PDB file of all heavy atoms in Angstrom:
ATOM      1  N   LEU A   1    -202.347 103.674-166.937  1.00  0.00           N
ATOM      2  CA  LEU A   1    -203.308 102.580-166.659  1.00  0.00           C
ATOM      3  C   LEU A   1    -202.689 101.200-166.968  1.00  0.00           C
ATOM      4  O   LEU A   1    -203.060 100.222-166.460  1.00  0.00           O
ATOM      5  CB  LEU A   1    -204.548 102.793-167.419  1.00  0.00           C
ATOM      6  CG  LEU A   1    -205.556 103.834-166.868  1.00  0.00           C
ATOM      7  CD1 LEU A   1    -206.749 104.042-167.913  1.00  0.00           C
ATOM      8  CD2 LEU A   1    -206.109 103.335-165.618  1.00  0.00           C
ATOM      9  N   SER A   2    -201.713 101.193-167.878  1.00  0.00           N
ATOM     10  CA  SER A   2    -201.059  99.980-168.355  1.00  0.00           C
ATOM     11  C   SER A   2    -202.074  98.895-168.769  1.00  0.00           C
ATOM     12  O   SER A   2    -201.949  97.724-168.430  1.00  0.00           O
ATOM     13  CB  SER A   2    -200.212  99.481-167.262  1.00  0.00           C
ATOM     14  OG  SER A   2    -199.096 100.401-167.019  1.00  0.00           O
ATOM     15  N   LEU A   3    -203.069  99.275-169.520  1.00  0.00           N
ATOM     16  CA  LEU A   3    -204.019  98.254-170.023  1.00  0.00           C
ATOM     17  C   LEU A   3    -203.387  97.291-171.011  1.00  0.00           C
ATOM     18  O   LEU A   3    -202.572  97.737-171.894  1.00  0.00           O
ATOM     19  CB  LEU A   3    -205.209  98.930-170.640  1.00  0.00           C
ATOM     20  CG  LEU A   3    -206.109  99.855-169.792  1.00  0.00           C
ATOM     21  CD1 LEU A   3    -207.274 100.350-170.519  1.00  0.00           C
ATOM     22  CD2 LEU A   3    -206.616  99.020-168.500  1.00  0.00           C
ATOM     23  N   ILE A   4    -203.649  96.013-170.838  1.00  0.00           N
ATOM     24  CA  ILE A   4    -202.935  95.042-171.654  1.00  0.00           C
ATOM     25  C   ILE A   4    -203.358  95.221-173.163  1.00  0.00           C
ATOM     26  O   ILE A   4    -202.455  95.190-174.047  1.00  0.00           O
ATOM     27  CB  ILE A   4    -203.354  93.570-171.224  1.00  0.00           C
ATOM     28  CG1 ILE A   4    -202.910  93.400-169.751  1.00  0.00           C
ATOM     29  CG2 ILE A   4    -202.818  92.546-172.165  1.00  0.00           C
ATOM     30  CD1 ILE A   4    -203.489  92.078-169.179  1.00  0.00           C
ATOM     31  N   THR A   5    -204.617  95.494-173.400  1.00  0.00           N
ATOM     32  CA  THR A   5    -205.047  95.575-174.824  1.00  0.00           C
ATOM     33  C   THR A   5    -204.768  96.840-175.475  1.00  0.00           C
ATOM     34  O   THR A   5    -205.141  97.126-176.615  1.00  0.00           O
ATOM     35  CB  THR A   5    -206.591  95.294-175.007  1.00  0.00           C
ATOM     36  OG1 THR A   5    -207.276  96.199-174.252  1.00  0.00           O
ATOM     37  CG2 THR A   5    -206.900  93.806-174.385  1.00  0.00           C
ATOM     38  N   ALA A   6    -204.141  97.832-174.762  1.00  0.00           N
ATOM     39  CA  ALA A   6    -203.643  99.047-175.346  1.00  0.00           C
ATOM     40  C   ALA A   6    -202.385  98.772-176.151  1.00  0.00           C
ATOM     41  O   ALA A   6    -201.821  99.524-176.926  1.00  0.00           O
ATOM     42  CB  ALA A   6    -203.466 100.093-174.307  1.00  0.00           C
ATOM     43  N   LYS A   7    -201.684  97.731-175.807  1.00  0.00           N
ATOM     44  CA  LYS A   7    -200.396  97.340-176.395  1.00  0.00           C
ATOM     45  C   LYS A   7    -200.528  96.855-177.838  1.00  0.00           C
ATOM     46  O   LYS A   7    -201.496  96.229-178.156  1.00  0.00           O
ATOM     47  CB  LYS A   7    -199.685  96.260-175.570  1.00  0.00           C
ATOM     48  CG  LYS A   7    -199.491  96.578-174.117  1.00  0.00           C
ATOM     49  CD  LYS A   7    -198.902  95.430-173.240  1.00  0.00           C
ATOM     50  CE  LYS A   7    -198.986  95.705-171.783  1.00  0.00           C
ATOM     51  NZ  LYS A   7    -198.341  96.917-171.346  1.00  0.00           N
ATOM     52  N   ARG A   8    -199.568  97.137-178.658  1.00  0.00           N
ATOM     53  CA  ARG A   8    -199.622  96.684-180.019  1.00  0.00           C
ATOM     54  C   ARG A   8    -199.326  95.173-180.066  1.00  0.00           C
ATOM     55  O   ARG A   8    -198.650  94.640-179.231  1.00  0.00           O
ATOM     56  CB  ARG A   8    -198.627  97.495-180.871  1.00  0.00           C
ATOM     57  CG  ARG A   8    -198.878  98.939-180.884  1.00  0.00           C
ATOM     58  CD  ARG A   8    -197.997  99.703-181.910  1.00  0.00           C
ATOM     59  NE  ARG A   8    -198.199  99.303-183.257  1.00  0.00           N
ATOM     60  CZ  ARG A   8    -197.491  99.744-184.316  1.00  0.00           C
ATOM     61  NH1 ARG A   8    -196.508 100.547-184.088  1.00  0.00           N
ATOM     62  NH2 ARG A   8    -197.766  99.305-185.546  1.00  0.00           N
ATOM     63  N   VAL A   9    -199.878  94.546-181.086  1.00  0.00           N
ATOM     64  CA  VAL A   9    -199.750  93.093-181.304  1.00  0.00           C
ATOM     65  C   VAL A   9    -199.094  92.687-182.498  1.00  0.00           C
ATOM     66  O   VAL A   9    -199.407  93.279-183.567  1.00  0.00           O
ATOM     67  CB  VAL A   9    -201.122  92.421-181.080  1.00  0.00           C
ATOM     68  CG1 VAL A   9    -201.056  90.838-181.343  1.00  0.00           C
ATOM     69  CG2 VAL A   9    -201.844  92.737-179.757  1.00  0.00           C
ATOM     70  N   LEU A  10    -198.194  91.722-182.492  1.00  0.00           N
ATOM     71  CA  LEU A  10    -197.728  90.995-183.652  1.00  0.00           C
ATOM     72  C   LEU A  10    -198.125  89.638-183.630  1.00  0.00           C
ATOM     73  O   LEU A  10    -197.931  88.928-182.644  1.00  0.00           O
ATOM     74  CB  LEU A  10    -196.127  91.143-183.644  1.00  0.00           C
ATOM     75  CG  LEU A  10    -195.377  90.198-184.548  1.00  0.00           C
ATOM     76  CD1 LEU A  10    -195.610  90.584-186.020  1.00  0.00           C
ATOM     77  CD2 LEU A  10    -193.811  90.241-184.311  1.00  0.00           C
ATOM     78  N   TYR A  11    -198.732  89.186-184.667  1.00  0.00           N
ATOM     79  CA  TYR A  11    -199.204  87.865-184.736  1.00  0.00           C
ATOM     80  C   TYR A  11    -198.133  86.917-185.422  1.00  0.00           C
ATOM     81  O   TYR A  11    -197.655  87.177-186.501  1.00  0.00           O
ATOM     82  CB  TYR A  11    -200.488  87.636-185.565  1.00  0.00           C
ATOM     83  CG  TYR A  11    -201.712  88.306-184.811  1.00  0.00           C
ATOM     84  CD1 TYR A  11    -202.073  89.562-185.171  1.00  0.00           C
ATOM     85  CD2 TYR A  11    -202.330  87.669-183.785  1.00  0.00           C
ATOM     86  CE1 TYR A  11    -203.181  90.203-184.519  1.00  0.00           C
ATOM     87  CE2 TYR A  11    -203.413  88.245-183.072  1.00  0.00           C
ATOM     88  CZ  TYR A  11    -203.844  89.486-183.460  1.00  0.00           C
ATOM     89  OH  TYR A  11    -204.853  90.107-182.785  1.00  0.00           O
ATOM     90  N   VAL A  12    -197.744  85.859-184.697  1.00  0.00           N
ATOM     91  CA  VAL A  12    -196.763  84.935-185.195  1.00  0.00           C
ATOM     92  C   VAL A  12    -197.471  83.611-185.544  1.00  0.00           C
ATOM     93  O   VAL A  12    -197.877  82.948-184.590  1.00  0.00           O
ATOM     94  CB  VAL A  12    -195.537  84.702-184.257  1.00  0.00           C
ATOM     95  CG1 VAL A  12    -194.528  83.744-184.795  1.00  0.00           C
ATOM     96  CG2 VAL A  12    -194.931  86.012-183.839  1.00  0.00           C
ATOM     97  N   MET A  13    -197.521  83.227-186.803  1.00  0.00           N
ATOM     98  CA  MET A  13    -198.209  81.982-187.185  1.00  0.00           C
ATOM     99  C   MET A  13    -197.144  80.893-187.195  1.00  0.00           C
ATOM    100  O   MET A  13    -196.170  80.888-187.886  1.00  0.00           O
ATOM    101  CB  MET A  13    -198.771  82.145-188.637  1.00  0.00           C
ATOM    102  CG  MET A  13    -199.756  83.255-188.729  1.00  0.00           C
ATOM    103  SD  MET A  13    -200.452  83.311-190.405  1.00  0.00           S
ATOM    104  CE  MET A  13    -199.035  83.619-191.441  1.00  0.00           C
ATOM    105  N   ASN A  14    -197.392  79.834-186.310  1.00  0.00           N
ATOM    106  CA  ASN A  14    -196.546  78.596-186.235  1.00  0.00           C
ATOM    107  C   ASN A  14    -197.045  77.701-187.387  1.00  0.00           C
ATOM    108  O   ASN A  14    -198.227  77.072-187.207  1.00  0.00           O
ATOM    109  CB  ASN A  14    -196.648  78.003-184.903  1.00  0.00           C
ATOM    110  CG  ASN A  14    -195.517  76.939-184.746  1.00  0.00           C
ATOM    111  OD1 ASN A  14    -194.705  76.715-185.562  1.00  0.00           O
ATOM    112  ND2 ASN A  14    -195.498  76.307-183.578  1.00  0.00           N
ATOM    113  N   VAL A  15    -196.280  77.535-188.429  1.00  0.00           N
ATOM    114  CA  VAL A  15    -196.789  76.843-189.599  1.00  0.00           C
ATOM    115  C   VAL A  15    -196.147  75.504-189.777  1.00  0.00           C
ATOM    116  O   VAL A  15    -195.218  75.099-189.089  1.00  0.00           O
ATOM    117  CB  VAL A  15    -196.508  77.711-190.895  1.00  0.00           C
ATOM    118  CG1 VAL A  15    -197.154  79.055-190.714  1.00  0.00           C
ATOM    119  CG2 VAL A  15    -194.978  77.884-191.128  1.00  0.00           C
ATOM    120  N   ASP A  16    -196.631  74.748-190.757  1.00  0.00           N
ATOM    121  CA  ASP A  16    -196.090  73.361-191.127  1.00  0.00           C
ATOM    122  C   ASP A  16    -194.788  73.442-191.792  1.00  0.00           C
ATOM    123  O   ASP A  16    -194.433  74.507-192.422  1.00  0.00           O
ATOM    124  CB  ASP A  16    -197.072  72.670-192.067  1.00  0.00           C
ATOM    125  CG  ASP A  16    -198.320  72.180-191.401  1.00  0.00           C
ATOM    126  OD1 ASP A  16    -198.184  71.501-190.412  1.00  0.00           O
ATOM    127  OD2 ASP A  16    -199.511  72.474-191.911  1.00  0.00           O
ATOM    128  N   GLU A  17    -194.011  72.436-191.752  1.00  0.00           N
ATOM    129  CA  GLU A  17    -192.664  72.429-192.343  1.00  0.00           C
ATOM    130  C   GLU A  17    -192.733  72.547-193.934  1.00  0.00           C
ATOM    131  O   GLU A  17    -191.768  72.951-194.488  1.00  0.00           O
ATOM    132  CB  GLU A  17    -191.922  71.055-191.987  1.00  0.00           C
ATOM    133  CG  GLU A  17    -191.648  71.001-190.506  1.00  0.00           C
ATOM    134  CD  GLU A  17    -190.959  69.658-190.124  1.00  0.00           C
ATOM    135  OE1 GLU A  17    -189.850  69.358-190.663  1.00  0.00           O
ATOM    136  OE2 GLU A  17    -191.545  68.983-189.299  1.00  0.00           O
ATOM    137  N   ASP A  18    -193.875  72.114-194.433  1.00  0.00           N
ATOM    138  CA  ASP A  18    -193.925  72.272-195.898  1.00  0.00           C
ATOM    139  C   ASP A  18    -194.830  73.501-196.347  1.00  0.00           C
ATOM    140  O   ASP A  18    -195.288  73.532-197.452  1.00  0.00           O
ATOM    141  CB  ASP A  18    -194.606  70.930-196.493  1.00  0.00           C
ATOM    142  CG  ASP A  18    -196.007  70.637-195.849  1.00  0.00           C
ATOM    143  OD1 ASP A  18    -196.523  71.379-195.016  1.00  0.00           O
ATOM    144  OD2 ASP A  18    -196.569  69.642-196.343  1.00  0.00           O
ATOM    145  N   ASP A  19    -195.045  74.385-195.478  1.00  0.00           N
ATOM    146  CA  ASP A  19    -195.797  75.639-195.696  1.00  0.00           C
ATOM    147  C   ASP A  19    -195.121  76.826-195.076  1.00  0.00           C
ATOM    148  O   ASP A  19    -195.779  77.521-194.247  1.00  0.00           O
ATOM    149  CB  ASP A  19    -197.226  75.454-195.260  1.00  0.00           C
ATOM    150  CG  ASP A  19    -198.078  76.738-195.662  1.00  0.00           C
ATOM    151  OD1 ASP A  19    -197.780  77.320-196.687  1.00  0.00           O
ATOM    152  OD2 ASP A  19    -199.155  76.917-194.971  1.00  0.00           O
ATOM    153  N   LEU A  20    -193.843  77.021-195.278  1.00  0.00           N
ATOM    154  CA  LEU A  20    -193.031  77.986-194.609  1.00  0.00           C
ATOM    155  C   LEU A  20    -193.498  79.351-194.870  1.00  0.00           C
ATOM    156  O   LEU A  20    -193.177  80.228-194.077  1.00  0.00           O
ATOM    157  CB  LEU A  20    -191.537  77.817-194.957  1.00  0.00           C
ATOM    158  CG  LEU A  20    -190.966  76.418-194.511  1.00  0.00           C
ATOM    159  CD1 LEU A  20    -189.426  76.373-194.990  1.00  0.00           C
ATOM    160  CD2 LEU A  20    -191.089  76.146-193.124  1.00  0.00           C
ATOM    161  N   GLN A  21    -194.095  79.608-195.987  1.00  0.00           N
ATOM    162  CA  GLN A  21    -194.613  80.982-196.294  1.00  0.00           C
ATOM    163  C   GLN A  21    -196.053  81.222-195.637  1.00  0.00           C
ATOM    164  O   GLN A  21    -196.577  82.366-195.737  1.00  0.00           O
ATOM    165  CB  GLN A  21    -194.642  81.241-197.746  1.00  0.00           C
ATOM    166  CG  GLN A  21    -193.363  81.045-198.471  1.00  0.00           C
ATOM    167  CD  GLN A  21    -192.296  81.983-197.879  1.00  0.00           C
ATOM    168  OE1 GLN A  21    -192.558  83.136-197.618  1.00  0.00           O
ATOM    169  NE2 GLN A  21    -191.052  81.451-197.738  1.00  0.00           N
ATOM    170  N   GLY A  22    -196.636  80.246-195.041  1.00  0.00           N
ATOM    171  CA  GLY A  22    -197.875  80.397-194.392  1.00  0.00           C
ATOM    172  C   GLY A  22    -199.033  80.740-195.361  1.00  0.00           C
ATOM    173  O   GLY A  22    -199.652  81.736-195.314  1.00  0.00           O
ATOM    174  N   GLN A  23    -199.271  79.747-196.301  1.00  0.00           N
ATOM    175  CA  GLN A  23    -200.252  79.915-197.295  1.00  0.00           C
ATOM    176  C   GLN A  23    -201.538  79.119-197.104  1.00  0.00           C
ATOM    177  O   GLN A  23    -202.406  79.207-198.017  1.00  0.00           O
ATOM    178  CB  GLN A  23    -199.629  79.707-198.676  1.00  0.00           C
ATOM    179  CG  GLN A  23    -198.485  80.597-199.138  1.00  0.00           C
ATOM    180  CD  GLN A  23    -198.829  82.013-199.136  1.00  0.00           C
ATOM    181  OE1 GLN A  23    -199.947  82.355-199.602  1.00  0.00           O
ATOM    182  NE2 GLN A  23    -198.049  82.958-198.655  1.00  0.00           N
ATOM    183  N   ASN A  24    -201.560  78.220-196.121  1.00  0.00           N
ATOM    184  CA  ASN A  24    -202.716  77.412-195.964  1.00  0.00           C
ATOM    185  C   ASN A  24    -203.999  78.235-195.578  1.00  0.00           C
ATOM    186  O   ASN A  24    -203.868  79.437-195.231  1.00  0.00           O
ATOM    187  CB  ASN A  24    -202.539  76.265-195.023  1.00  0.00           C
ATOM    188  CG  ASN A  24    -202.350  76.643-193.552  1.00  0.00           C
ATOM    189  OD1 ASN A  24    -202.764  77.670-193.133  1.00  0.00           O
ATOM    190  ND2 ASN A  24    -201.660  75.781-192.788  1.00  0.00           N
ATOM    191  N   GLU A  25    -205.104  77.603-195.545  1.00  0.00           N
ATOM    192  CA  GLU A  25    -206.375  78.327-195.185  1.00  0.00           C
ATOM    193  C   GLU A  25    -206.378  78.888-193.766  1.00  0.00           C
ATOM    194  O   GLU A  25    -206.954  80.023-193.552  1.00  0.00           O
ATOM    195  CB  GLU A  25    -207.548  77.404-195.358  1.00  0.00           C
ATOM    196  CG  GLU A  25    -207.876  77.022-196.859  1.00  0.00           C
ATOM    197  CD  GLU A  25    -208.109  78.242-197.709  1.00  0.00           C
ATOM    198  OE1 GLU A  25    -208.775  79.097-197.388  1.00  0.00           O
ATOM    199  OE2 GLU A  25    -207.484  78.288-198.852  1.00  0.00           O
ATOM    200  N   LEU A  26    -205.720  78.257-192.805  1.00  0.00           N
ATOM    201  CA  LEU A  26    -205.733  78.739-191.452  1.00  0.00           C
ATOM    202  C   LEU A  26    -204.963  80.013-191.460  1.00  0.00           C
ATOM    203  O   LEU A  26    -205.293  81.013-190.796  1.00  0.00           O
ATOM    204  CB  LEU A  26    -205.025  77.702-190.558  1.00  0.00           C
ATOM    205  CG  LEU A  26    -205.723  76.372-190.429  1.00  0.00           C
ATOM    206  CD1 LEU A  26    -204.941  75.458-189.493  1.00  0.00           C
ATOM    207  CD2 LEU A  26    -207.159  76.450-189.973  1.00  0.00           C
ATOM    208  N   CYS A  27    -203.792  80.075-192.150  1.00  0.00           N
ATOM    209  CA  CYS A  27    -202.974  81.274-192.231  1.00  0.00           C
ATOM    210  C   CYS A  27    -203.637  82.406-192.897  1.00  0.00           C
ATOM    211  O   CYS A  27    -203.521  83.543-192.429  1.00  0.00           O
ATOM    212  CB  CYS A  27    -201.693  80.924-192.925  1.00  0.00           C
ATOM    213  SG  CYS A  27    -200.552  79.845-192.069  1.00  0.00           S
ATOM    214  N   LYS A  28    -204.427  82.159-193.931  1.00  0.00           N
ATOM    215  CA  LYS A  28    -205.162  83.150-194.656  1.00  0.00           C
ATOM    216  C   LYS A  28    -206.125  83.961-193.666  1.00  0.00           C
ATOM    217  O   LYS A  28    -206.368  85.136-193.778  1.00  0.00           O
ATOM    218  CB  LYS A  28    -205.885  82.602-195.804  1.00  0.00           C
ATOM    219  CG  LYS A  28    -204.999  82.171-197.010  1.00  0.00           C
ATOM    220  CD  LYS A  28    -205.740  81.557-198.163  1.00  0.00           C
ATOM    221  CE  LYS A  28    -204.783  81.086-199.254  1.00  0.00           C
ATOM    222  NZ  LYS A  28    -205.618  80.417-200.354  1.00  0.00           N
ATOM    223  N   LYS A  29    -206.742  83.121-192.765  1.00  0.00           N
ATOM    224  CA  LYS A  29    -207.736  83.725-191.857  1.00  0.00           C
ATOM    225  C   LYS A  29    -206.970  84.639-190.801  1.00  0.00           C
ATOM    226  O   LYS A  29    -207.412  85.785-190.486  1.00  0.00           O
ATOM    227  CB  LYS A  29    -208.409  82.649-191.099  1.00  0.00           C
ATOM    228  CG  LYS A  29    -209.336  81.744-191.948  1.00  0.00           C
ATOM    229  CD  LYS A  29    -210.048  80.690-191.136  1.00  0.00           C
ATOM    230  CE  LYS A  29    -211.090  79.956-191.968  1.00  0.00           C
ATOM    231  NZ  LYS A  29    -211.695  78.770-191.138  1.00  0.00           N
ATOM    232  N   VAL A  30    -205.765  84.203-190.417  1.00  0.00           N
ATOM    233  CA  VAL A  30    -205.007  84.988-189.501  1.00  0.00           C
ATOM    234  C   VAL A  30    -204.485  86.250-190.163  1.00  0.00           C
ATOM    235  O   VAL A  30    -204.598  87.389-189.581  1.00  0.00           O
ATOM    236  CB  VAL A  30    -203.842  84.222-188.903  1.00  0.00           C
ATOM    237  CG1 VAL A  30    -202.979  85.070-187.970  1.00  0.00           C
ATOM    238  CG2 VAL A  30    -204.293  82.981-188.163  1.00  0.00           C
ATOM    239  N   ARG A  31    -204.075  86.190-191.459  1.00  0.00           N
ATOM    240  CA  ARG A  31    -203.592  87.385-192.132  1.00  0.00           C
ATOM    241  C   ARG A  31    -204.743  88.365-192.290  1.00  0.00           C
ATOM    242  O   ARG A  31    -204.475  89.624-192.023  1.00  0.00           O
ATOM    243  CB  ARG A  31    -203.061  86.902-193.536  1.00  0.00           C
ATOM    244  CG  ARG A  31    -201.835  86.163-193.494  1.00  0.00           C
ATOM    245  CD  ARG A  31    -201.396  85.783-194.951  1.00  0.00           C
ATOM    246  NE  ARG A  31    -200.172  84.935-194.983  1.00  0.00           N
ATOM    247  CZ  ARG A  31    -198.972  85.371-194.810  1.00  0.00           C
ATOM    248  NH1 ARG A  31    -198.617  86.610-194.569  1.00  0.00           N
ATOM    249  NH2 ARG A  31    -198.011  84.381-194.915  1.00  0.00           N
ATOM    250  N   ALA A  32    -205.923  87.916-192.584  1.00  0.00           N
ATOM    251  CA  ALA A  32    -207.056  88.835-192.761  1.00  0.00           C
ATOM    252  C   ALA A  32    -207.337  89.500-191.439  1.00  0.00           C
ATOM    253  O   ALA A  32    -207.665  90.746-191.431  1.00  0.00           O
ATOM    254  CB  ALA A  32    -208.283  88.018-193.217  1.00  0.00           C
TER     255      ALA A  32
END
């Protein structure tokens, strides 16, 4: 069937230059 949402997903957070570990509140929501 090749359904799109059957595929596994990796989330890549594009972060600020001073937050390279992705610790801001926006990143915390994505991690959760």
